[in-house]
Amino acid sequence: MTKPNAKSNIENILTDTFGRKHNYLRISLTERCNLRCTYCMPADGVQLSPKAHIMTYEEIYTIAKEFVKMGVTKIRLTGGEPLIRKDASLILEKLASLPVQLTLTTNGVVVDRFINDFKKYGIKTLNISLDSLNEKKNEEITRRSYFKKVYQNMILLVKEGFKVKVNCVLIKGFNDNEIIDFIKLSRDLPIQVRFIEFMPFDGNQWNKKKLVSLEEILSEVDLNFKKENIIKLKDALNDTTKSYKIRDYKGTFAIISSVTNPFCDGCNRIRLTANGHIKNCLFSSKESDLLTPFRAGEPISVVIKKAIQSKRKIRNGMDTLDKFNQPELHSNNRSMITIGG
């Protein structure tokens, strides 16, 4: 009689009912941020979790280590803004000891303070948020005046040898006239500009009219560049992006079409919020409390397996664009800032 393979059983915990293996863990370090982006945070702010409910650095490390045992090979730190957490450097140090690719998403305001930490702990790629190249418009969408600092820090990261991905959430009538300007950033900078479709979350006043679709973005590209100079790049199995390059440009651009052209079939991501809840899908309103049983000394594998097994095939059931127009299907979700992206 063949004995069951214990390692195989552990890794199978992260495989859902559609055969998707979740080897990519996104950990939110904090619900706090030094910006107030309109698509991320409601105008009146959000109700923050009590400090006692936020994971400590020891808990983050120990839980992450359990996920790695189950098969996680990549960890991304998010927020809020992960780098405003006082023990951010310590968290980087602890997670860097695990056999994973470690990276993070940041708004870029304070990254200059962490350059040495990034190098020391093996972080080679960073995603930085920048939604307008116009200082006034950037202040309007972030409700803060940090444009120059963020732009300078983006350039600094490139000069220091990091691979930089620039995340731009497109909103019709606001920054959709900057698509070509953003792409031209990649002419002389070896960056990837990533256009993200505006997604619905609690308090961000989403409606279909504000959406700039994959098709509209590519149409704008076609109008401004010769066909023979627009190169479609090969996308990896689990890529969230559809990637392109303009011939002879140093960098690339990509589109994340979560709404109009989802990539759910290849989804390998699972999210852990700052207060220790699992979200098996960005659009899911349901969560699984991992921190409470962890603190009680109970095995967390049961909670993780249940969360993974309950993941739906496409965007938490919003499998058509019409369903996005039904607020009851997405308004019970968290605000983006408390999810962690």
Side-chain angles (χ1 to χ4, degrees):
M1 182 176 179
T2 305
K3 293 183 178 180
N5 187 316
K7 186 175 187 298
S8 177
N9 288 339
I10 291 174
E11 290 183 350
N12 285 339
I13 289 174
L14 297 183
T15 301
D16 69 12
T17 57
F18 302 99
R20 296 174 295 198
K21 296 182 178 181
H22 296 73
N23 64 342
Y24 180 5
L25 176 64
R26 302 171 72 103
I27 305 175
S28 174
L29 300 188
T30 179
E31 297 172 350
R32 299 178 181 274
C33 190
N34 44 7
L35 299 182
R36 295 290 183 273
C37 298
T38 58
Y39 56 81
C40 184
M41 180 184 287
D44 296 331
V46 294
Q47 181 66 49
L48 297 172
S49 299
K51 185 177 180 180
H53 294 183
I54 300 296
M55 294 184 293
T56 66
Y57 82 86
E58 294 101 332
E59 290 168 338
I60 291 170
Y61 170 68
T62 306
I63 290 173
K65 189 162 62 171
E66 288 300 305
F67 272 100
V68 171
K69 287 180 183 177
M70 296 174 188
V72 162
T73 57
K74 180 178 179 179
I75 293 177
R76 175 178 298 280
L77 302 181
T78 65
E81 171 49 46
L83 297 178
I84 64 171
R85 185 162 161 158
K86 292 181 180 179
D87 57 357
S89 292
L90 182 56
I91 293 171
L92 291 176
E93 179 184 3
K94 296 291 288 184
L95 294 180
S97 67
L98 299 174
V100 294
Q101 176 190 350
L102 184 61
T103 184
L104 71 143
T105 295
T106 172
N107 60 33
V109 175
V110 298
V111 293
D112 51 307
R113 304 177 194 172
F114 290 87
I115 297 295
N116 291 334
D117 282 340
F118 296 156
K119 292 180 177 179
K120 184 177 181 181
Y121 302 125
I123 294 177
K124 296 179 173 61
T125 303
L126 294 98
N127 290 15
I128 190 166
S129 299
L130 185 64
D131 299 304
S132 177
L133 298 174
N134 178 287
E135 186 171 0
K136 185 177 180 181
K137 285 168 67 174
N138 195 268
E139 184 173 343
E140 181 182 341
I141 198 166
T142 65
R143 303 188 183 108
R144 294 292 185 272
S145 53
Y146 285 121
F147 171 75
K148 289 180 180 176
K149 186 65 183 291
V150 172
Y151 193 88
Q152 289 168 357
N153 279 341
M154 176 189 70
I155 300 299
L156 175 64
L157 288 170
V158 172
K159 287 182 177 178
E160 292 290 337
F162 295 97
K163 183 178 179 181
V164 177
K165 299 179 181 180
V166 179
N167 289 343
C168 174
V169 176
L170 288 177
I171 301 175
K172 189 165 289 186
F174 179 74
N175 61 353
D176 55 326
N177 63 340
E178 297 186 65
I179 292 172
I180 302 306
D181 291 336
F182 267 103
I183 291 176
K184 287 181 177 178
L185 270 184
S186 70
R187 178 172 52 198
D188 300 315
L189 294 172
I191 60 174
Q192 182 185 69
V193 175
R194 311 193 327 159
F195 299 114
I196 303 173
E197 290 183 343
F198 184 35
M199 294 177 281
F201 295 100
D202 185 38
N204 74 353
Q205 306 299 311
W206 187 90
N207 69 62
K208 186 178 177 182
K209 292 179 181 178
K210 295 181 180 179
L211 179 69
V212 184
S213 69
L214 169 101
E215 185 178 325
E216 289 172 307
I217 296 168
L218 291 178
S219 177
E220 186 70 13
V221 174
D222 286 342
L223 286 174
N224 286 272
F225 296 97
K226 293 180 179 179
K227 289 271 188 184
E228 60 268 24
N229 290 333
I230 305 169
I231 303 168
K232 177 69 181 78
L233 303 177
K234 185 177 181 180
D235 301 311
L237 176 64
N238 300 121
D239 276 353
T240 60
T241 58
K242 292 175 175 57
S243 300
Y244 301 83
K245 179 181 178 67
I246 302 301
R247 192 179 305 278
D248 297 328
Y249 277 31
K250 289 184 178 180
T252 63
F253 72 95
I255 303 166
I256 300 178
S257 52
S258 306
V259 177
T260 65
N261 200 339
F263 36 81
C264 302
D265 285 350
C267 183
N268 65 336
R269 291 163 295 287
I270 185 168
R271 292 169 172 83
L272 184 63
T273 64
N275 63 342
H277 286 210
I278 293 177
K279 285 185 73 73
N280 63 15
C281 174
L282 189 58
F283 294 108
S284 176
S285 58
K286 294 182 179 180
E287 303 175 359
S288 303
D289 181 2
L290 195 67
L291 189 57
T292 298
F294 176 80
R295 287 179 173 176
E298 299 170 8
I300 60 175
S301 58
V302 177
V303 180
I304 296 170
K305 182 175 182 178
K306 187 176 180 180
I308 293 293
Q309 294 300 304
S310 64
K311 185 168 182 171
R312 302 180 75 171
K313 187 175 182 179
I314 299 177
R315 294 177 308 206
N316 194 44
M318 290 190 288
D319 51 3
T320 67
L321 194 54
D322 285 341
K323 289 184 179 180
F324 277 91
N325 291 323
Q326 301 175 35
E328 66 274 13
L329 295 181
H330 54 71
S331 60
N332 290 326
N333 199 357
R334 293 185 182 219
S335 297
M336 188 64 167
I337 189 168
T338 63
I339 296 175

